[in-house]
Amino acid sequence: MSNLTVETAYGKVQGAQVDGLSVWKGIPYAKPPVGSLRFRAPELPESWEEVRDATSFGPVAPQAQRDIMEFLGNDISNMSEDCLYLNVWSPAADDKKRPVMVWIHGGAFIAGSGSSSWYDGASFAAQGDVVVVTINYRLGIFGFLHLGEIGGEEYATSSNCGIQDQVAALHWVQENIAAFGGDPNNVTVFGESAGAMSIGVLLGFPSAKGLFHKAILQSGAAANVHSAEKATHVASKLLEALDVDPGNLSKLEEIPVEKLIHVSSLAPMMSLGPIIDGVSLPQHPQEAIKAGAAKDISILIGTNKDEYNLFTVFDPEWKDADDDKIHALYEKTFGPLLPAIKSFFAQGKPLTQELFNKLVTVSIFTYPALQLADMQVAQGAPVWMYRFDWETSVFNGALKSAHALEIPFVWNNLDKENTERFTGQGTERQLVANQMHKAWINFARYGNPSADASVEWPAYETQNRSTMIFNVESKVENDPNATERMIWDQAAMLMKN
């Protein structure tokens, strides 16, 4: 048997040799979630007898076409509800027990896939001697429709199918990755945006316990979950739009995928995501983490300096917005906090898009990351904090250090399709990529991103809050987000009052 033909627990898979690496694509880790398995927890895949071809990616999860995701390299040309597949890059399928890195993609829980060219694991495998796994999981209405309060026991775990898919993939890794040259006892999960938010949930998700040992969270933490009450309200509205009687939920199994995607676009952004359903997720992950659920997990976490610029630059509502329009956008986003924002944060000056971007960046990304870091440190877990400050020159520099910009640097995939229109073509880009790529490899291998690195990166603690600032010349700063932290501490107090 060649090392491209690997025997998994469910059958043999035949991969391909690509530039000296072994690559397997489109391996099923669960049964197709179709028919009666739609809106149900994932089930183990069926076994197969013949050698399965694993040289092309499986279909991506059903999702709407979105310009911003296409800009970020997302390809939905091959899409199907039968989407629960994963991909593996390895130096070789041998018994070397290399560190394993499992990537959970972002996309606001409604878009993305593990097969984007930006997530090609070749550089990690070649330069880091690690095994890389990328996965698909159910998105949007298929992954996060909370039917438990409406449909009872039969739909008790419908709300978190997407997270349960991730858990199923991690179980597959535990069971099979040794045959691909990986060490199931040294698994690092890493992800960006909704992928990092997923990891924040997994840190407090009981069935994920013991399936991974380290975690890297890029622009996401453990704050993004919905209450069962809010999720039931969203589900009820979607059932109404689909003309499905709550007493006849089996009708959902017959509705065409396209219609489900179209109707789910009526739901507010980020309203379809992880839910505290009382079954698969008994409590808020932050509460579980505070209680020590992840005290044995080393964390590397960080954000980009100008996260929200990505969204307002592409938002037509901000184009040529006058003072009235800007005020309305602030009111829509911040509601009762607006008077405090005007007095404390704008200090009487006109509200601007720049301040809006800063405040949303703090509230959605920076503050939750700091909260998670503090929770883990309080449990005695090792934590490393970073901030990505390198700015792209595209769109006349308007994006700055925008959301998702760090991805091709982390993966060292600056030469992949579509990355240059985001990063530009500057030669200094590779200097940044070299540092980040190496730090992620070191963390996966040693649990310390600064092992054998040129710049010492102290662990994060609440006294100094040491943070690596990634740029052409990276450096460590103490508490670089102090202003943002204090701003949102004040905001939190105002919200309580």
Side-chain angles (χ1 to χ4, degrees):
M1 182 185 297
S2 78
N3 69 347
L4 293 176
T5 302
V6 174
E7 183 146 18
T8 75
Y10 307 101
K12 296 176 183 177
V13 290
Q14 173 75 42
Q17 196 83 13
V18 182
D19 296 330
L21 298 170
S22 301
V23 183
W24 298 264
K25 299 174 179 178
I27 302 174
Y29 68 83
K31 280 183 184 175
V34 301
S36 62
L37 293 184
R38 184 185 272 181
F39 307 118
R40 303 296 203 283
E43 295 187 1
L44 294 175
E46 304 254 353
S47 298
W48 57 88
E49 293 185 5
E50 302 295 325
V51 177
R52 183 186 179 100
D53 180 80
T55 58
S56 56
F57 291 117
V60 306
Q63 57 195 275
Q65 192 277 331
R66 299 174 189 277
D67 291 343
I68 195 167
M69 289 301 296
E70 190 175 330
F71 175 73
L72 297 176
N74 194 43
D75 179 5
I76 61 171
S77 56
N78 179 20
M79 184 170 68
S80 170
E81 195 174 359
D82 176 8
C83 62
L84 300 184
Y85 297 93
L86 55 77
N87 318 292
V88 181
W89 285 259
S90 177
D94 53 27
D95 58 0
K96 285 196 175 179
K97 294 189 177 179
R98 299 170 180 84
V100 179
M101 300 180 73
V102 180
W103 174 254
I104 302 177
H105 70 78
F109 296 107
I110 55 173
S113 77
S115 52
S116 167
S117 61
W118 288 25
Y119 312 146
D120 185 302
S123 184
F124 273 120
Q127 295 196 24
D129 194 32
V130 300
V131 176
V132 177
V133 179
T134 67
I135 68 172
N136 294 340
Y137 56 95
R138 279 174 283 179
L139 303 167
I141 193 170
F142 298 93
F144 302 98
L145 184 66
H146 182 55
L147 298 172
E149 322 296 317
I150 299 168
E153 184 65 27
E154 189 179 357
Y155 292 91
T157 56
S158 68
S159 49
N160 288 317
C161 286
I163 301 297
Q164 292 177 91
D165 292 343
Q166 297 167 12
V167 172
L170 290 168
H171 272 292
W172 185 96
V173 168
Q174 285 297 310
E175 191 172 27
N176 296 283
I177 207 64
F180 294 82
D183 182 359
N185 296 311
N186 187 7
V187 175
T188 300
V189 289
F190 68 132
E192 183 268 347
S193 193
M197 294 170 186
S198 294
I199 293 170
V201 172
L202 291 171
L203 291 170
F205 206 73
S207 63
K209 185 74 173 175
L211 298 180
F212 59 95
H213 313 94
K214 296 185 283 289
I216 304 174
L217 300 92
Q218 302 168 210
S219 304
N224 295 85
V225 292
H226 301 297
S227 67
E229 181 183 12
K230 180 179 178 181
T232 298
H233 176 74
V234 171
S236 297
K237 291 291 185 183
L238 291 175
L239 291 178
E240 185 179 336
L242 289 164
D243 194 27
V244 172
D245 188 291
N248 185 25
L249 293 184
S250 61
K251 185 180 176 182
L252 285 169
E253 298 169 11
E254 304 162 9
I255 297 175
V257 168
E258 295 75 18
K259 184 175 181 180
L260 288 169
I261 293 173
H262 173 71
V263 169
S264 64
S265 67
L266 302 173
M269 180 62 75
M270 295 295 286
S271 63
L272 289 167
I275 298 140
I276 307 167
D277 61 359
V279 182
S280 62
L281 184 60
Q283 63 182 142
H284 197 297
Q286 288 184 330
E287 295 304 315
I289 292 164
K290 283 180 185 176
K295 64 183 179 182
D296 53 345
I297 305 291
S298 300
I299 299 286
L300 193 164
I301 187 168
T303 58
N304 296 359
K305 177 170 63 70
D306 308 294
E307 298 272 8
Y308 212 70
N309 288 32
L310 177 68
F311 304 101
T312 57
V313 165
F314 287 101
D315 188 344
E317 289 201 278
W318 280 98
K319 188 173 176 60
D320 303 321
D322 59 17
D323 288 345
D324 289 342
K325 180 66 173 177
I326 289 174
H327 189 278
L329 288 167
Y330 268 83
E331 199 165 53
K332 177 183 175 183
T333 303
F334 297 108
L337 276 179
L338 187 54
I341 286 172
K342 286 180 175 180
S343 58
F344 287 105
F345 308 140
Q347 297 182 336
K349 296 176 183 176
L351 298 173
T352 64
Q353 182 176 350
E354 182 180 4
L355 178 61
F356 182 91
N357 287 342
K358 183 174 184 178
L359 290 172
V360 180
T361 293
V362 172
S363 64
I364 295 178
F365 300 105
T366 313
Y367 196 72
L370 292 167
Q371 284 182 304
L372 177 55
D374 288 355
M375 290 172 198
Q376 280 294 87
V377 166
Q379 292 295 325
V383 176
W384 281 265
M385 176 73 74
Y386 76 88
R387 194 178 74 196
F388 181 75
D389 278 22
W390 185 87
E391 298 184 4
T392 178
S393 60
V394 301
F395 297 99
N396 295 317
L399 290 173
K400 295 187 177 179
S401 304
H403 189 66
L405 182 61
E406 89 289 355
I407 294 173
F409 294 86
V410 164
W411 287 79
N412 194 28
N413 280 337
L414 294 169
D415 60 342
K416 296 298 180 184
E417 184 181 5
N418 295 330
T419 57
E420 285 188 356
R421 65 183 185 182
F422 193 18
T423 66
Q425 299 178 323
T427 55
E428 79 284 354
R429 296 178 308 148
Q430 193 59 52
L431 298 174
V432 183
N434 291 345
Q435 298 171 73
M436 297 193 81
H437 194 53
K438 182 66 173 175
W440 266 236
I441 290 167
N442 285 343
F443 184 75
R445 181 170 294 281
Y446 306 112
N448 183 340
S450 67
D452 72 20
S454 57
V455 180
E456 182 63 27
W457 182 350
Y460 177 90
E461 34 71 32
T462 52
Q463 183 175 352
N464 292 325
R465 300 181 186 274
S466 301
T467 303
M468 177 64 77
I469 308 297
F470 280 112
N471 213 321
V472 176
E473 293 184 7
S474 298
K475 59 183 179 180
V476 173
E477 290 187 13
N478 288 339
D479 205 5
N481 297 307
T483 302
E484 289 83 353
R485 180 167 47 81
M486 288 186 282
I487 280 175
W488 220 250
D489 277 341
Q490 288 179 326
M493 289 176 62
L494 290 166
M495 283 187 279
K496 285 180 182 178
N497 298 331

